[in-house]
Amino acid sequence: MATFASRILGLVTLASLASSAVLPGALEPINDISHLANFSAIPLSLSSWSSEHTTPNISYSELGHILGQVGTPPYKCDPKAYGRDLHVRSCRDALLAIPADTRKLKLGSRGPGDRRNDVNLPYRFSSDDAVCVIEISPPVGGSYDVVTSLELARAAFSIVEGCVSNAELGRVGGEVLGLGQYKRLSISVSAYAPEVQCAPPGAPVAPPTAACDSVLSVMSASRNEKTFGPWRSSSDVDLPASIKDPTNGCMLVVRADVYTPRPDKATWYDIWAAAVAVRQMCVLKGRAGQSVRMGYRGALIVQLLSGRYPAGLTLTN
């Protein structure tokens, strides 16, 4: 197998990037993995909520005025399920990512037939720092529902203002149930703790956002626990594993941390959520990136890279 001739050095956290600090240690090279049995190329699926469809040039107060004119649905604050001490500014930032329009969209579960959906669920809107996420869960009682993004924004707004902004309650997360034409959808606002590292600006492995959105839209987000381990082991998923879009623009890679190379357990939902954070914190800024310390033992790494990188590319952490 070919190895990389070039290496990307100094993969850094956002906090250390400003000071040009380089994190110590290096990961083993990713070899050419296109031959692996668990490699998969996904069909192109353009999300109706790509970065080009966010509400443009509007302040939070302006959005609140728009949403307040049509009323807000009942919400439930739940710190046990969705966290406490949420960052109000970050959650408002995530809310601004929801397009406030009245187009009716079909939102449905992932799996067979999901290309008939406008948006596959679960789906997340994230703050720029990824510490607050607004998530639409898969439908309950059916495979899809029909809803406008304005209805979803209104529901999320009620949670942000009623739960997250409420200091007396402890700035907690919450949910709204019974959304959509058939009342099958729910939306939540919750805390997230990203451990994301971005490649240096201008690194040649930066994937395009639209291609990564395609990967995130179609990949599994199952909550069933799987064992991830070395290739040809008895694990459920052989590592490294990858998914990429048909244009080779973006590739999601799951690999083992070189310091803890034993098998680890995780769900595809957790891997998807980690990749969403990488997309928000790195890919949108024109950089490749990775989420570290994933899995039950923290032995997994989730990366978003260009699908056109030379075989053997190394990111360091």
Side-chain angles (χ1 to χ4, degrees):
M1 293 183 289
T3 58
F4 276 102
S6 61
R7 305 181 69 178
I8 304 300
L9 299 178
L11 187 68
V12 295
T13 62
L14 290 181
S16 64
L17 193 60
S19 61
S20 300
V22 178
L23 298 177
L27 304 179
E28 289 296 316
I30 306 175
N31 291 316
D32 182 1
I33 55 180
S34 61
H35 65 287
L36 296 184
N38 60 335
F39 173 88
S40 59
I42 64 170
L44 186 62
S45 176
L46 295 179
S47 168
S48 294
W49 288 325
S50 67
S51 56
E52 291 79 14
H53 289 87
T54 55
T55 303
N57 301 322
I58 187 171
S59 69
Y60 185 81
S61 60
E62 290 171 328
L63 179 62
H65 178 70
I66 294 172
L67 299 177
Q69 289 180 328
V70 291
T72 54
Y75 56 87
K76 176 186 176 182
C77 302
D78 188 345
K80 185 176 181 180
Y82 302 112
R84 60 173 61 251
D85 297 320
L86 274 70
H87 296 195
V88 177
R89 181 176 296 180
S90 293
C91 291
R92 290 176 174 174
D93 176 41
L95 181 58
L96 284 172
I98 305 178
D101 64 47
T102 57
R103 290 182 301 151
K104 290 186 177 181
L105 300 172
K106 181 181 178 183
L107 278 60
S109 301
R110 297 166 187 244
D114 62 10
R115 296 195 71 186
R116 294 192 292 267
N117 298 329
D118 293 310
V119 177
N120 292 333
L121 300 179
Y123 189 94
R124 277 189 172 185
F125 298 96
S126 176
S127 59
D128 286 344
D129 55 12
V131 301
C132 183
V133 295
I134 299 174
E135 182 168 325
I136 310 162
S137 297
V140 176
S143 62
Y144 74 94
D145 208 332
V146 178
V147 71
T148 69
S149 59
L150 180 63
E151 181 181 353
L152 297 170
R154 191 166 67 242
F157 177 78
S158 70
I159 303 169
V160 171
E161 291 306 301
C163 303
V164 179
S165 299
N166 192 326
E168 293 183 0
L169 291 179
R171 304 197 185 283
V172 300
E175 66 180 0
V176 171
L177 306 177
L179 298 171
Q181 181 177 332
Y182 305 110
K183 310 301 181 185
R184 295 170 177 169
L185 301 177
S186 63
I187 194 168
S188 62
V189 179
S190 63
Y192 187 71
E195 294 199 60
V196 171
Q197 302 166 343
C198 299
V205 290
T209 301
C212 289
D213 286 345
S214 180
V215 172
L216 295 173
S217 174
V218 182
M219 67 175 287
S220 172
S222 169
R223 291 179 180 266
N224 296 326
E225 190 174 77
K226 301 288 184 181
T227 301
F228 294 75
W231 186 30
R232 293 177 177 173
S233 68
S234 59
S235 301
D236 299 314
V237 180
D238 293 336
L239 298 180
S242 70
I243 307 168
K244 65 180 178 179
D245 79 298
T247 69
N248 286 334
C250 181
M251 177 166 58
L252 182 150
V253 177
V254 184
R255 57 177 297 176
D257 188 326
V258 66
Y259 301 112
T260 51
R262 293 175 296 167
D264 202 350
K265 293 184 177 182
T267 68
W268 280 110
Y269 173 83
D270 291 333
I271 290 170
W272 166 80
V276 171
V278 175
R279 182 256 191 204
Q280 193 69 26
M281 298 177 71
C282 304
V283 175
L284 281 179
K285 298 173 177 62
R287 306 178 191 179
Q290 63 185 14
S291 182
V292 299
R293 287 180 281 277
M294 297 299 302
Y296 182 77
R297 295 190 303 106
L300 302 177
I301 294 172
V302 179
Q303 299 176 318
L304 285 179
L305 310 167
S306 169
R308 299 183 179 91
Y309 76 99
L313 173 69
T314 300
L315 294 177
T316 63
N317 71 345

